[in-house]
Amino acid sequence: MNLLRPLWLARALVWRPFRRDSARTLATILGVALGVAVTLAIRLANDGVLASFRASLDHVAGKTQLQVSAGEGGFDETLFRAVARTPGVAAAAPILQAVVPVAEEPGDSLLVLGVDIMSDAAFRAYRGPTSTLVEPLRLLTDPDAILLTARYARLRGLAVGDPIRLNTPTGPQRFVVRGLLADDGTARTMDGRLAVLDIAAAQLHFGKLGRLDRIDVLLQPGLTPEQVAPELRRRLPPEVLVERPDARNAQVEQMLGSFQLNLFVLSLIALFVGAFLVYNTMAV
């Protein structure tokens, strides 16, 4: 008898009402399913967005152990020498970074990195689809030279030697593709929507002559960021930050906090709408 009780309850609470008024029962089920599905979808979207930003930051950081930055405005490039000469620093790489829209492609944009291609090799691997890049050193001599990922080039039907126009902070600018990056490591940033310029060209096109967004630091073997960071802070102005790359993940989470909260509230509204549909159907 005890084993049959759950079946009896299911029949009394579900099957009988369904047979008596199938339309109202289906509306109830659909209303609840709608609210739960929207809530789950928004939760998955929240997690996906955060994971994507974290992965992008990790790919861009590469082997970096410490990052020197000063917010959106950046800092004077003369500080690079002080960073590079700090005891315990094995290598330092200057970086400019900006998200730049692609001209004549509404909604399309690229994360453009301005790097010193020679010193940056210690932090990030720039490998071509066939193990070597085509004309990568043209970045040093041609201010309009640019590297794209092979994935983005396939998406837009571009090849080495083709032009691409970007709406830079100083106005529309025509670049020439001088190499393609294999679809791994740094090239996986933002699903392959990454471009690389020489640091001098980036300063020119971004309107940041004499400025840097950050400096990536690689430490000598055996040293930890906690040992070297205090000396870096002592040599730099107080407004310049010295932190681990993973600290930027926490900053991203804070920036996305309001966005995620809005989505969570939206999911609650969806649940309310589902409950209202159920109530309204039964009331009618």
Side-chain angles (χ1 to χ4, degrees):
M1 182 65 180
N2 290 334
L3 295 176
L4 297 177
R5 183 172 296 175
L7 295 177
W8 181 84
L9 287 174
R11 181 180 179 184
L13 298 177
V14 178
W15 182 244
R16 287 180 180 175
F18 181 76
R19 292 185 60 186
R20 185 171 59 248
D21 195 342
S22 58
R24 185 169 63 180
T25 304
L26 287 175
T28 301
I29 295 173
L30 289 175
V32 174
L34 173 65
V36 173
V38 172
T39 302
L40 179 61
I42 290 177
R43 174 60 185 272
L44 293 176
N46 270 334
D47 293 343
V49 168
L50 189 57
S52 177
F53 271 94
R54 285 175 175 171
S56 294
L57 289 176
D58 291 340
H59 291 320
V60 171
K63 299 178 182 178
T64 304
Q65 293 174 280
L66 283 173
Q67 288 184 336
V68 178
S69 60
E72 189 173 341
F75 52 89
D76 195 285
E77 65 179 6
T78 56
L79 296 179
F80 177 78
R81 183 174 299 179
V83 172
R85 292 182 175 180
T86 300
V89 172
I95 302 290
L96 276 179
Q97 179 175 315
V99 177
V100 180
V102 179
E104 301 174 358
E105 296 289 346
D108 194 6
S109 59
L110 293 172
L111 174 64
V112 182
L113 292 181
V115 303
D116 179 349
I117 197 68
M118 305 302 291
S119 64
D120 205 65
F123 296 82
R124 282 160 285 272
Y126 297 108
R127 187 174 63 84
T130 57
S131 77
T132 57
L133 284 173
V134 179
E135 301 184 281
L137 295 182
R138 288 289 294 273
L139 292 179
L140 301 177
T141 58
D142 185 356
D144 297 331
I146 193 171
L147 302 182
L148 297 179
T149 66
R151 180 175 182 178
Y152 185 79
R154 289 194 302 269
L155 179 65
R156 294 300 176 196
L158 297 172
V160 174
D162 288 346
I164 181 173
R165 292 181 61 84
L166 302 179
N167 292 326
T168 70
T170 57
Q173 178 66 37
R174 179 183 180 274
F175 296 91
V176 179
V177 180
R178 294 300 182 187
L180 300 178
L181 303 175
D183 299 326
D184 59 7
T186 306
R188 297 177 62 186
T189 303
M190 291 182 63
D191 292 329
R193 297 180 183 278
L194 176 80
V196 178
L197 290 176
D198 178 64
I199 184 71
Q203 288 177 320
L204 175 65
H205 296 308
F206 294 172
K208 290 188 174 182
L209 291 176
R211 307 289 294 177
L212 298 176
D213 286 334
R214 73 171 192 271
I215 299 173
D216 289 351
V217 176
L218 193 63
L219 305 180
Q220 294 177 358
L223 295 179
T224 65
E226 289 74 16
Q227 293 174 307
V228 180
E231 179 62 20
L232 277 172
R233 295 188 182 101
R234 189 184 69 80
R235 292 169 174 248
L236 298 172
E239 67 273 11
V240 177
L241 302 177
V242 179
E243 55 191 1
R244 288 173 173 265
D246 53 14
R248 299 179 70 87
N249 285 338
Q251 295 174 1
V252 168
E253 291 184 18
Q254 291 177 357
M255 289 188 296
L256 293 177
S258 59
F259 172 70
Q260 292 181 311
L261 178 60
N262 290 337
L263 289 180
F264 175 71
V265 172
L266 183 60
S267 69
L268 295 182
I269 294 175
L271 278 176
F272 173 78
V273 170
F276 176 77
L277 289 176
V278 173
Y279 169 77
N280 187 62
T281 303
M282 290 186 172
V284 170

